Coordinates of all heavy atoms in Angstrom, one line a residue:
M1 N -6.2 -10.1 -0.6 CA -5.6 -8.8 -0.2 C -4.6 -8.4 -1.3 O -3.9 -9.2 -1.9 CB -4.8 -9.0 1.1 CG -4.2 -7.7 1.5 SD -3.5 -7.7 3.2 CE -4.9 -7.8 4.2
G2 N -4.7 -7.2 -1.7 CA -3.9 -6.6 -2.8 C -2.4 -6.3 -2.3 O -2.0 -6.7 -1.2
A3 N -1.7 -5.6 -3.1 CA -0.3 -5.2 -2.9 C -0.4 -4.1 -1.9 O -1.3 -3.3 -1.8 CB 0.4 -4.8 -4.1
F4 N 0.8 -3.9 -1.1 CA 0.9 -2.8 -0.2 C 0.8 -1.4 -1.0 O 0.3 -0.4 -0.4 CB 2.1 -2.8 0.6 CG 3.4 -2.6 -0.2 CD1 3.9 -1.3 -0.4 CD2 4.1 -3.7 -0.7 CE1 5.0 -1.1 -1.0 CE2 5.3 -3.4 -1.4 CZ 5.7 -2.2 -1.6
T5 N 1.1 -1.4 -2.2 CA 1.0 -0.2 -3.0 C -0.4 0.3 -3.3 O -0.6 1.4 -3.7 CB 1.8 -0.4 -4.4 OG1 1.3 -1.5 -5.0 CG2 3.3 -0.5 -4.1
D6 N -1.4 -0.6 -3.0 CA -2.8 -0.3 -3.2 C -3.3 0.4 -1.9 O -4.4 0.9 -1.9 CB -3.6 -1.5 -3.5 CG -3.2 -2.1 -4.8 OD1 -2.8 -1.3 -5.7 OD2 -3.4 -3.3 -5.0
L7 N -2.6 0.3 -0.8 CA -3.1 0.9 0.5 C -3.0 2.4 0.5 O -2.0 3.0 0.1 CB -2.2 0.3 1.6 CG -2.2 -1.2 1.9 CD1 -1.1 -1.5 2.9 CD2 -3.6 -1.6 2.3
E8 N -4.1 3.0 0.8 CA -4.1 4.5 0.9 C -3.1 5.0 1.9 O -2.5 6.1 1.6 CB -5.5 5.0 1.3 CG -6.6 4.8 0.2 CD -6.1 5.5 -1.2 OE1 -5.7 6.7 -1.1 OE2 -6.3 4.9 -2.2
V9 N -2.9 4.4 3.0 CA -2.0 4.9 4.0 C -0.5 4.8 3.4 O 0.3 5.7 3.6 CB -2.1 4.1 5.3 CG1 -1.6 2.6 5.1 CG2 -1.3 4.8 6.4
W10 N -0.2 3.8 2.6 CA 1.1 3.7 2.0 C 1.3 4.8 1.0 O 2.4 5.5 0.8 CB 1.4 2.4 1.3 CG 2.7 2.3 0.7 CD1 3.9 2.0 1.4 CD2 3.0 2.6 -0.6 NE1 4.9 2.1 0.5 CE2 4.5 2.4 -0.7 CE3 2.3 3.0 -1.8 CZ2 5.1 2.6 -1.9 CZ3 3.0 3.2 -2.9 CH2 4.4 3.0 -3.0
K11 N 0.2 5.1 0.2 CA 0.3 6.2 -0.8 C 0.5 7.5 -0.2 O 1.3 8.4 -0.7 CB -1.1 6.2 -1.6 CG -1.2 5.0 -2.6 CD -2.6 5.1 -3.2 CE -2.8 3.9 -4.0 NZ -4.2 3.9 -4.7
K12 N -0.1 7.8 1.0 CA 0.1 9.0 1.7 C 1.5 9.1 2.3 O 2.1 10.2 2.3 CB -1.0 9.2 2.8 CG -2.4 9.4 2.2 CD -3.4 9.7 3.2 CE -4.7 9.9 2.5 NZ -5.7 10.4 3.4
A13 N 2.0 8.0 2.8 CA 3.4 8.0 3.3 C 4.4 8.3 2.2 O 5.3 9.0 2.3 CB 3.6 6.6 3.9
R14 N 4.1 7.7 1.0 CA 4.9 7.9 -0.2 C 4.9 9.4 -0.6 O 5.9 10.0 -0.9 CB 4.5 7.1 -1.3 CG 5.2 7.2 -2.6 CD 6.5 6.5 -2.4 NE 7.2 6.5 -3.7 CZ 8.3 5.8 -4.0 NH1 8.9 5.0 -3.1 NH2 8.8 5.8 -5.2
L15 N 3.7 10.0 -0.6 CA 3.6 11.4 -0.9 C 4.3 12.3 0.1 O 5.1 13.2 -0.2 CB 2.1 11.8 -0.9 CG 1.8 13.3 -1.2 CD1 2.3 13.6 -2.6 CD2 0.3 13.5 -1.2
L16 N 4.2 12.0 1.4 CA 5.0 12.7 2.5 C 6.5 12.6 2.2 O 7.2 13.6 2.3 CB 4.6 12.1 3.8 CG 5.4 12.8 5.0 CD1 5.0 14.3 5.1 CD2 5.1 12.0 6.3
R17 N 6.9 11.4 2.0 CA 8.3 11.1 1.7 C 8.8 12.0 0.5 O 9.9 12.6 0.6 CB 8.5 9.7 1.4 CG 9.9 9.3 0.9 CD 10.0 7.9 0.5 NE 11.2 7.5 -0.2 CZ 11.6 6.3 -0.5 NH1 10.8 5.3 -0.2 NH2 12.7 6.1 -1.1
N18 N 8.1 12.0 -0.6 CA 8.5 12.8 -1.7 C 8.4 14.3 -1.4 O 9.4 15.0 -1.9 CB 7.6 12.5 -2.9 CG 7.8 11.1 -3.4 OD1 8.8 10.4 -3.2 ND2 6.8 10.6 -4.1
N19 N 7.5 14.7 -0.7 CA 7.4 16.2 -0.3 C 8.6 16.5 0.6 O 9.2 17.6 0.4 CB 6.1 16.5 0.3 CG 4.9 16.5 -0.6 OD1 5.1 16.6 -1.8 ND2 3.7 16.4 0.0
I20 N 8.9 15.7 1.5 CA 10.1 16.0 2.4 C 11.4 16.0 1.6 O 12.3 16.8 1.8 CB 10.1 15.0 3.5 CG1 9.0 15.4 4.5 CG2 11.5 15.0 4.2 CD1 8.9 14.4 5.7
T21 N 11.5 15.0 0.6 CA 12.7 15.0 -0.2 C 12.9 16.3 -0.9 O 14.0 16.9 -1.0 CB 12.6 13.9 -1.2 OG1 12.5 12.7 -0.5 CG2 13.8 13.9 -2.2
E22 N 11.8 17.0 -1.4 CA 11.8 18.2 -2.1 C 12.2 19.4 -1.1 O 12.9 20.3 -1.4 CB 10.6 18.6 -2.9 CG 10.5 17.6 -4.1 CD 11.6 17.7 -5.1 OE1 12.0 18.8 -5.4 OE2 12.2 16.6 -5.5
L23 N 11.5 19.3 0.1 CA 11.6 20.3 1.1 C 13.1 20.5 1.6 O 13.6 21.6 1.7 CB 10.7 20.1 2.2 CG 10.8 21.0 3.5 CD1 10.3 22.4 3.0 CD2 10.0 20.5 4.6
V24 N 13.7 19.3 1.8 CA 15.1 19.4 2.4 C 16.1 20.0 1.4 O 17.2 20.4 1.9 CB 15.5 18.0 2.9 CG1 14.6 17.5 4.1 CG2 15.7 17.0 1.8
K25 N 15.8 20.0 0.2 CA 16.6 20.7 -0.8 C 16.8 22.2 -0.5 O 17.7 22.8 -0.9 CB 16.2 20.4 -2.2 CG 16.3 19.0 -2.6 CD 15.7 18.8 -4.0 CE 15.8 17.3 -4.4 NZ 15.2 17.1 -5.7
T26 N 15.8 22.7 0.2 CA 15.9 24.2 0.6 C 16.6 24.4 1.9 O 16.7 25.6 2.3 CB 14.4 24.8 0.7 OG1 13.7 24.1 1.7 CG2 13.7 24.5 -0.6
F27 N 16.9 23.4 2.6 CA 17.6 23.5 4.0 C 19.0 24.1 3.7 O 19.7 23.8 2.7 CB 17.7 22.2 4.7 CG 16.3 21.8 5.3 CD1 15.1 22.4 5.0 CD2 16.3 20.6 6.0 CE1 13.9 22.0 5.5 CE2 15.1 20.2 6.5 CZ 13.9 20.8 6.3
P28 N 19.5 24.8 4.8 CA 21.0 25.2 4.7 C 21.9 24.1 4.6 O 21.6 23.0 5.1 CB 21.2 26.0 6.0 CG 19.8 26.2 6.6 CD 18.9 25.1 6.0
A29 N 23.0 24.3 3.9 CA 24.0 23.2 3.8 C 24.5 22.6 5.0 O 24.9 21.4 5.2 CB 25.2 23.8 2.9
E30 N 24.6 23.5 6.1 CA 25.1 23.0 7.3 C 24.2 22.0 8.0 O 24.6 21.3 9.0 CB 25.5 24.1 8.3 CG 24.3 24.9 8.8 CD 24.0 26.1 7.9 OE1 24.6 26.3 6.8 OE2 23.2 27.0 8.3
E31 N 23.0 21.8 7.6 CA 22.0 20.9 8.1 C 22.1 19.5 7.3 O 21.3 18.6 7.7 CB 20.7 21.4 8.1 CG 20.4 22.6 9.0 CD 20.5 22.2 10.4 OE1 20.5 21.0 10.8 OE2 20.7 23.1 11.3
K32 N 22.9 19.4 6.3 CA 22.9 18.2 5.5 C 23.1 16.9 6.3 O 22.4 15.9 6.0 CB 24.0 18.3 4.4 CG 24.0 17.1 3.4 CD 25.0 17.4 2.4 CE 25.0 16.2 1.4 NZ 26.0 16.3 0.4
Y33 N 24.0 16.9 7.2 CA 24.3 15.7 8.0 C 23.5 15.6 9.3 O 23.7 14.6 10.0 CB 25.7 15.5 8.1 CG 26.4 15.4 6.8 CD1 27.2 16.4 6.3 CD2 26.2 14.2 6.0 CE1 27.8 16.3 5.0 CE2 26.9 14.1 4.7 CZ 27.6 15.2 4.3 OH 28.2 15.0 3.1
R34 N 22.7 16.5 9.6 CA 22.0 16.5 10.9 C 20.5 16.4 10.6 O 19.9 15.3 10.4 CB 22.3 17.7 11.7 CG 23.8 17.8 12.2 CD 24.0 19.0 13.0 NE 23.9 20.2 12.2 CZ 24.3 21.4 12.6 NH1 24.9 21.5 13.7 NH2 24.0 22.4 11.8
L35 N 19.9 17.5 10.5 CA 18.4 17.6 10.3 C 18.0 16.9 9.0 O 17.0 16.1 9.0 CB 18.0 19.0 10.3 CG 16.5 19.3 10.1 CD1 15.7 18.7 11.3 CD2 16.2 20.8 10.1
T36 N 18.6 17.3 7.9 CA 18.2 16.7 6.6 C 18.2 15.2 6.6 O 17.3 14.5 6.2 CB 19.1 17.3 5.5 OG1 19.0 18.7 5.5 CG2 18.7 16.7 4.1
D37 N 19.4 14.6 7.0 CA 19.5 13.2 7.0 C 18.5 12.5 7.9 O 17.8 11.5 7.5 CB 20.9 12.8 7.5 CG 21.1 11.3 7.5 OD1 21.1 10.7 6.4 OD2 21.4 10.8 8.6
Q38 N 18.2 13.1 9.1 CA 17.3 12.5 10.0 C 15.9 12.6 9.5 O 15.1 11.5 9.6 CB 17.4 13.2 11.4 CG 16.5 12.6 12.5 CD 16.9 11.1 12.7 OE1 18.0 10.7 12.6 NE2 15.9 10.3 13.2
I39 N 15.5 13.6 8.9 CA 14.1 13.7 8.5 C 13.8 12.9 7.2 O 12.7 12.3 7.1 CB 13.6 15.2 8.3 CG1 12.1 15.3 8.2 CG2 14.3 15.8 7.0 CD1 11.6 16.7 8.3
I40 N 14.9 12.8 6.4 CA 14.7 11.8 5.3 C 14.6 10.4 5.7 O 13.7 9.7 5.2 CB 15.9 12.0 4.3 CG1 15.7 13.3 3.5 CG2 15.9 10.9 3.3 CD1 16.9 13.7 2.7
R41 N 15.4 10.0 6.7 CA 15.4 8.6 7.1 C 14.1 8.3 7.8 O 13.5 7.2 7.6 CB 16.6 8.3 8.0 CG 17.9 8.1 7.2 CD 19.1 7.6 8.0 NE 19.4 8.6 9.0 CZ 19.3 8.4 10.3 NH1 18.9 7.3 10.8 NH2 19.7 9.4 11.2
S42 N 13.6 9.2 8.7 CA 12.4 8.9 9.4 C 11.2 8.8 8.5 O 10.3 8.0 8.6 CB 12.2 9.9 10.6 OG 12.0 11.2 10.0
S43 N 11.1 9.7 7.5 CA 10.0 9.7 6.6 C 10.0 8.5 5.7 O 8.9 8.0 5.3 CB 9.9 11.1 5.7 OG 11.1 11.1 4.9
R44 N 11.1 8.0 5.2 CA 11.2 6.8 4.4 C 10.8 5.6 5.2 O 10.3 4.7 4.7 CB 12.7 6.6 3.9 CG 13.0 7.6 2.8 CD 14.4 7.3 2.4 NE 14.8 8.2 1.3 CZ 16.0 8.3 0.8 NH1 16.9 7.6 1.2 NH2 16.1 9.2 -0.2
S45 N 11.1 5.7 6.5 CA 10.8 4.5 7.4 C 9.3 4.3 7.5 O 8.8 3.1 7.7 CB 11.4 4.7 8.8 OG 11.1 3.7 9.7
I46 N 8.5 5.3 7.4 CA 7.0 5.1 7.5 C 6.5 4.1 6.4 O 6.0 3.1 6.8 CB 6.3 6.5 7.4 CG1 6.8 7.4 8.4 CG2 4.8 6.3 7.4 CD1 6.3 8.9 8.1
G47 N 6.8 4.4 5.2 CA 6.3 3.6 4.1 C 7.0 2.2 4.1 O 6.4 1.2 3.8
N48 N 8.3 2.2 4.5 CA 9.0 0.9 4.5 C 8.4 0.0 5.5 O 8.3 -1.2 5.3 CB 10.5 1.2 4.9 CG 11.2 1.9 3.8 OD1 10.8 2.0 2.6 ND2 12.4 2.5 4.1
N49 N 8.0 0.5 6.7 CA 7.4 -0.3 7.7 C 6.0 -0.8 7.3 O 5.7 -1.9 7.6 CB 7.4 0.4 9.0 CG 8.7 0.3 9.8 OD1 9.1 -0.8 10.1 ND2 9.3 1.4 10.0
I50 N 5.3 0.1 6.7 CA 4.0 -0.3 6.2 C 4.1 -1.5 5.2 O 3.4 -2.5 5.2 CB 3.2 0.8 5.5 CG1 2.8 1.9 6.6 CG2 1.9 0.4 4.8 CD1 2.4 3.2 6.1
A51 N 5.0 -1.3 4.2 CA 5.3 -2.4 3.2 C 5.7 -3.7 3.9 O 5.2 -4.8 3.5 CB 6.3 -1.9 2.2
E52 N 6.7 -3.6 4.8 CA 7.2 -4.8 5.4 C 6.1 -5.5 6.3 O 6.0 -6.7 6.3 CB 8.4 -4.5 6.3 CG 9.0 -5.8 6.8 CD 10.4 -5.6 7.4 OE1 10.9 -4.4 7.3 OE2 11.0 -6.6 7.9
G53 N 5.3 -4.7 7.0 CA 4.2 -5.3 7.8 C 3.2 -6.0 6.9 O 2.7 -7.0 7.2
H54 N 2.9 -5.4 5.7 CA 1.9 -6.0 4.8 C 2.4 -7.3 4.3 O 1.6 -8.2 4.0 CB 1.8 -5.0 3.6 CG 0.6 -5.4 2.7 ND1 0.8 -6.3 1.6 CD2 -0.7 -5.1 2.7 CE1 -0.3 -6.5 1.0 NE2 -1.3 -5.8 1.7
G55 N 3.8 -7.5 4.2 CA 4.3 -8.8 3.8 C 4.4 -9.8 4.8 O 4.8 -11.0 4.5
R56 N 4.1 -9.6 6.0 CA 4.2 -10.6 7.1 C 3.0 -11.5 7.1 O 1.8 -11.1 6.8 CB 4.3 -9.8 8.5 CG 5.6 -9.0 8.6 CD 6.8 -10.0 8.6 NE 8.0 -9.2 8.4 CZ 9.1 -9.6 9.1 NH1 9.2 -10.8 9.7 NH2 10.2 -8.9 8.9
F57 N 3.2 -12.7 7.5 CA 2.2 -13.7 7.5 C 1.2 -13.6 8.7 O 0.0 -13.7 8.5 CB 2.8 -15.1 7.5 CG 1.8 -16.3 7.5 CD1 1.1 -16.5 6.4 CD2 1.7 -17.0 8.7 CE1 0.2 -17.6 6.4 CE2 0.7 -18.0 8.7 CZ 0.0 -18.3 7.5
H58 N 1.6 -13.3 9.9 CA 0.8 -13.3 11.0 C 0.4 -11.9 11.4 O 1.3 -11.0 11.3 CB 1.6 -14.0 12.2 CG 0.6 -14.3 13.3 ND1 0.4 -13.4 14.3 CD2 -0.1 -15.4 13.6 CE1 -0.4 -14.0 15.2 NE2 -0.7 -15.2 14.7
Y59 N -0.8 -11.7 11.8 CA -1.4 -10.4 12.2 C -0.5 -9.7 13.2 O -0.2 -8.5 13.1 CB -2.8 -10.5 12.7 CG -3.3 -9.3 13.3 CD1 -3.8 -8.2 12.5 CD2 -3.4 -9.1 14.6 CE1 -4.2 -7.1 13.0 CE2 -3.9 -7.9 15.2 CZ -4.3 -6.9 14.4 OH -4.8 -5.7 14.9
L60 N -0.1 -10.4 14.3 CA 0.7 -9.8 15.4 C 2.0 -9.3 14.9 O 2.5 -8.3 15.3 CB 0.8 -10.8 16.5 CG -0.5 -11.1 17.3 CD1 -0.2 -12.1 18.4 CD2 -1.0 -9.8 17.9
D61 N 2.6 -10.1 14.0 CA 3.9 -9.7 13.4 C 3.7 -8.5 12.5 O 4.5 -7.5 12.6 CB 4.5 -10.8 12.6 CG 6.0 -10.7 12.3 OD1 6.6 -10.0 13.1 OD2 6.4 -11.3 11.3
A62 N 2.7 -8.5 11.7 CA 2.4 -7.3 10.9 C 2.1 -6.0 11.7 O 2.6 -5.0 11.3 CB 1.2 -7.7 10.0
S63 N 1.3 -6.2 12.8 CA 1.0 -5.0 13.6 C 2.2 -4.4 14.2 O 2.2 -3.2 14.4 CB 0.0 -5.4 14.6 OG 0.5 -6.3 15.6
K64 N 3.2 -5.2 14.5 CA 4.4 -4.6 15.1 C 5.0 -3.5 14.1 O 5.5 -2.5 14.5 CB 5.5 -5.7 15.3 CG 6.8 -5.2 15.8 CD 7.8 -6.4 16.1 CE 8.2 -6.8 14.8 NZ 9.4 -7.7 14.8
F65 N 5.0 -3.9 12.8 CA 5.6 -3.0 11.8 C 4.7 -1.7 11.7 O 5.2 -0.6 11.4 CB 5.8 -3.7 10.5 CG 7.0 -4.6 10.5 CD1 6.9 -5.9 10.8 CD2 8.3 -4.1 10.3 CE1 7.9 -6.8 10.9 CE2 9.4 -4.9 10.4 CZ 9.2 -6.2 10.7
L66 N 3.4 -1.9 11.8 CA 2.5 -0.7 11.7 C 2.7 0.2 12.9 O 2.7 1.4 12.8 CB 1.1 -1.1 11.6 CG 0.7 -1.9 10.4 CD1 -0.7 -2.4 10.4 CD2 1.1 -1.2 9.1
V67 N 3.0 -0.4 14.0 CA 3.3 0.5 15.2 C 4.7 1.2 15.0 O 4.8 2.4 15.3 CB 3.4 -0.4 16.5 CG1 4.0 0.4 17.7 CG2 2.0 -0.9 16.9
N68 N 5.6 0.5 14.4 CA 6.9 1.2 14.0 C 6.7 2.3 13.0 O 7.3 3.4 13.1 CB 7.9 0.2 13.5 CG 8.4 -0.8 14.5 OD1 8.3 -0.6 15.7 ND2 9.0 -1.9 14.0
A69 N 5.8 2.1 12.1 CA 5.5 3.1 11.1 C 4.9 4.4 11.8 O 5.3 5.5 11.4 CB 4.5 2.7 10.0
R70 N 4.0 4.1 12.7 CA 3.4 5.2 13.5 C 4.5 6.0 14.3 O 4.5 7.2 14.3 CB 2.3 4.7 14.4 CG 1.6 5.8 15.1 CD 0.4 5.4 15.9 NE 0.9 4.7 17.1 CZ 0.1 4.1 18.0 NH1 -1.2 4.1 17.8 NH2 0.6 3.6 19.0
G71 N 5.5 5.2 14.9 CA 6.6 5.9 15.6 C 7.4 6.7 14.6 O 7.8 7.9 15.0
S72 N 7.6 6.3 13.5 CA 8.5 7.0 12.5 C 7.7 8.2 12.0 O 8.3 9.3 11.8 CB 8.8 6.1 11.2 OG 9.7 5.1 11.6
A73 N 6.4 8.1 11.9 CA 5.6 9.3 11.5 C 5.7 10.4 12.6 O 5.9 11.6 12.4 CB 4.2 8.9 11.3
A74 N 5.6 10.0 13.9 CA 5.7 10.9 15.1 C 7.1 11.5 15.1 O 7.2 12.7 15.4 CB 5.4 10.2 16.4
E75 N 8.1 10.7 14.8 CA 9.5 11.2 14.7 C 9.6 12.3 13.6 O 10.2 13.3 13.8 CB 10.5 10.1 14.5 CG 11.9 10.5 14.4 CD 12.9 9.4 14.1 OE1 12.5 8.3 14.0 OE2 14.1 9.7 14.1
T76 N 9.1 12.0 12.4 CA 9.1 13.0 11.4 C 8.4 14.3 11.7 O 8.9 15.3 11.4 CB 8.5 12.3 10.1 OG1 9.1 11.1 9.8 CG2 8.6 13.3 8.9
I77 N 7.3 14.2 12.3 CA 6.6 15.4 12.8 C 7.4 16.2 13.8 O 7.5 17.4 13.8 CB 5.2 15.0 13.4 CG1 4.3 14.5 12.3 CG2 4.6 16.2 14.0 CD1 3.1 13.8 12.8
D78 N 8.1 15.5 14.7 CA 8.8 16.1 15.8 C 10.1 16.8 15.3 O 10.6 17.8 15.9 CB 9.2 15.1 16.8 CG 9.9 15.7 18.0 OD1 9.3 16.6 18.6 OD2 11.1 15.3 18.3
I79 N 10.7 16.3 14.2 CA 11.9 16.9 13.7 C 11.5 18.3 13.2 O 12.0 19.3 13.3 CB 12.5 16.1 12.6 CG1 12.9 14.7 13.2 CG2 13.7 16.8 11.9 CD1 13.4 13.7 12.1

């Protein structure tokens, strides 16, 4: 198995994260500590959980992180 950076899903999560980072720069200043912070953290969490799950030894442990990544993706969409 290769590195998590070779996974297409991680690459897409990274692209989403980068796009959101650019998008939030257009948000109003009053959203800096509310909406902006939350959407940045949730979008970063997607790729972070994929990477951490990839580094786990046991399938069940790894799958827990993939479920967390899916939850973070849903949170990002909902914001």
Side-chain angles (χ1 to χ4, degrees):
M1 182 173 291
F4 68 88
T5 55
D6 295 332
L7 298 172
E8 288 302 315
V9 69
W10 181 84
K11 291 176 185 178
K12 289 181 180 192
R14 181 76 173 188
L15 181 61
L16 176 65
R17 172 186 171 173
N18 292 339
N19 288 341
I20 286 176
T21 299
E22 291 303 312
L23 176 67
V24 298
K25 292 177 183 177
T26 67
F27 288 5
E30 64 267 12
E31 292 294 343
K32 183 176 182 181
Y33 297 108
R34 294 181 298 193
L35 180 62
T36 301
D37 181 61
Q38 184 61 30
I39 197 168
I40 286 173
R41 286 188 295 116
S42 66
S43 66
R44 286 180 179 173
S45 180
I46 300 167
N48 292 345
N49 276 299
I50 292 168
E52 188 165 356
H54 188 270
R56 296 295 171 145
F57 180 70
H58 194 272
Y59 170 78
L60 291 175
D61 197 23
S63 67
K64 177 181 76 166
F65 286 94
L66 296 177
V67 170
N68 290 343
R70 186 173 72 181
S72 293
E75 180 182 1
T76 302
I77 291 167
D78 184 56
I79 296 171

